[in-house]
Amino acid sequence: MKKTLLLFIFTTLFISCNKENEKSDFIGNWSSISDENFEFDIDIEFFKDSMVIDNPLIYGTYSNKWKVIDDKIEQTLLRGNSDLNYKNTNYYKFNSTKDTLFIKNERDSIHYFKFAKITNGFEYFENKIGLKIELDKVSNGLISAGNNDYNFNIYLTLKNNKVIAKTDYSNNLNNLAYQLLNFKSKIYEKGLDKIKYVLFIDKKVSNKKIDSIKSLFIKEIVEKTFIVKNYKENKWNEQINWLGIYEN
């Protein structure tokens, strides 16, 4: 009898520990990966017994209770949009390093949504643009780039030893004039003088390549150029305050 009781207690504890270990893989911040081509980012914060989902495209911000059962996440609505299902179940899986999470609704037979684990604001930024950028940081003599709404961002980095140059509008700098005019069309007239090129440059990109990229800039459309050299973070999924210098 004692052996049976001990075996029962041990088995119960073992199962409980396994479930806690499974849940620990989720704990933290996750954001939809850029290659999913979402119009808006979907962010998830997993806590021990609750999760907060920010889905601006459909339901806004809401929270659920959650638990792991086998390969499923069972969720029960705590707070949020009344149009949401009170109970919801998703299948999940991780990649081998458990820094990518795949989730699909139980009613979906095929498509998994892919999320990256995020630890800070700069990782969130990199995930959003789909690139890794190591800034050549400096600390002195820097000013803020100001309101990000006026920044026409250009990203320069190396990928597989090849220089990548892209914007928020295109994966290359082709048709740059069209991209700029499209960007300016969304800015109110009183803000047009605040528009600037904002360059995010990986420190491994050569000065020769940087100069060749700058030669493509159309000063008749956008006059000012700002080089990002550092930053100040807020919450992990909030806009970063970019710091740097203006070029003459």
Side-chain angles (χ1 to χ4, degrees), residues 29-33 99-101 114-118 127 236:
N29 309 316
W30 301 83
S31 186
S32 52
I33 290 179
D99 58 5
T100 304
L101 172 63
K114 188 161 52 171
F115 295 83
K117 194 161 194 176
I118 306 293
N127 178 59
W236 69 277

Side-chain angles (χ1 to χ4, degrees), residues 7-17:
L7 180 61
F8 173 77
I9 292 171
F10 176 79
T11 303
T12 302
L13 288 172
F14 179 75
I15 293 172
S16 176
C17 287

